[in-house]
Amino acid sequence: MDVGQVNVQRQNGVALWRQIADRIRASIANGEYDASGKVPPEMVLAAQFGVNRHTVRSALAALAQEGIVRAVQGLGTLIERKERLNFPITRRTRFNEGIGDQAREKEGLLLHSGEEPASASVAIPLGLEEGAPVIRLETLRKADSRPVSRSTAWFPAARFAGIAEAYRDSGSITAAFKALGLPDYLRTWTEITASHADEQDRVDLRLSPGAIILIARALNTDPDGAPIQYAVSRFPADSVQFTIEN
């Protein structure tokens, strides 16, 4: 593969090694190294990005921490082949059903819960007055012991006073809703963006600095159209992909 000079920005506030890690991660995702199954040697990458080998080594170390590459003596830096989990976004989006048989074990953990006044960004999608009481759940979803989703969700407190306890017992939003008398609910809209993981997401999702996450903001309603849940969920971009289904 021809690796021509690639410019990195030295005065944009983002460390050079992090920029390089992002570029290598994108190249791996795009299949640019598939023929060899390896990342180019440090010397080649240093020349490609116009940096020293120590900077390249720091970028590769970050990718190794994420589980994207693995250095093997005598072979170089191998690309770790991990199939992305496919998560469908449908009219009835459910985590456990969406992951299905892609994982043997699925787990939902309640990290934190509490009642708080709704901010404008939460009140608007939930159809509430700003300051109305909502219950916030911080949750972590795992598939085969690997963190795949870190979510913050808000629910109208007047209707779902026991949602935290119900989720703690079941590890499932769907099961928690059923326990509170709501047997079905619908996905009204989903907005997906991408960003660098912040410090808390890096800890919870076991990511290295510079890792990219997919952010899904979503609204669920009951069958009559009343908003019941507004959620912001973060997924590691290298291990989860979305399929939008009608």
Side-chain angles (χ1 to χ4, degrees), residues 131-205:
V134 291
I135 295 173
R136 176 171 55 88
L137 302 188
E138 302 284 350
T139 63
L140 181 68
R141 297 294 190 97
K142 294 184 177 182
D144 291 336
S145 300
R146 180 175 51 156
V148 295
S149 173
R150 170 74 165 84
S151 298
T152 305
W154 295 266
F155 309 81
R159 185 172 181 180
F160 298 107
I163 191 78
E165 293 76 12
Y167 183 84
R168 183 183 292 112
D169 292 342
S170 65
S172 164
I173 291 293
T174 301
F177 277 143
K178 286 182 179 178
L180 297 177
L182 181 65
D184 192 20
Y185 60 99
L186 305 173
R187 176 62 57 90
T188 300
W189 54 260
T190 305
E191 175 188 273
I192 300 172
T193 57
S195 177
H196 283 102
D198 64 22
E199 183 177 357
Q200 190 59 56
D201 286 331
R202 292 199 300 269
V203 171
D204 292 331
L205 297 173

Side-chain angles (χ1 to χ4, degrees), residues 201-237:
D201 286 331
R202 292 199 300 269
V203 171
D204 292 331
L205 297 173
R206 302 178 192 169
L207 303 173
S208 67
I212 303 298
I213 57 172
L214 301 174
I215 303 171
R217 294 176 173 83
L219 179 69
N220 287 324
T221 66
D222 67 16
D224 294 326
I228 57 170
Q229 177 193 18
Y230 172 62
V232 180
S233 302
R234 285 84 75 196
F235 301 80

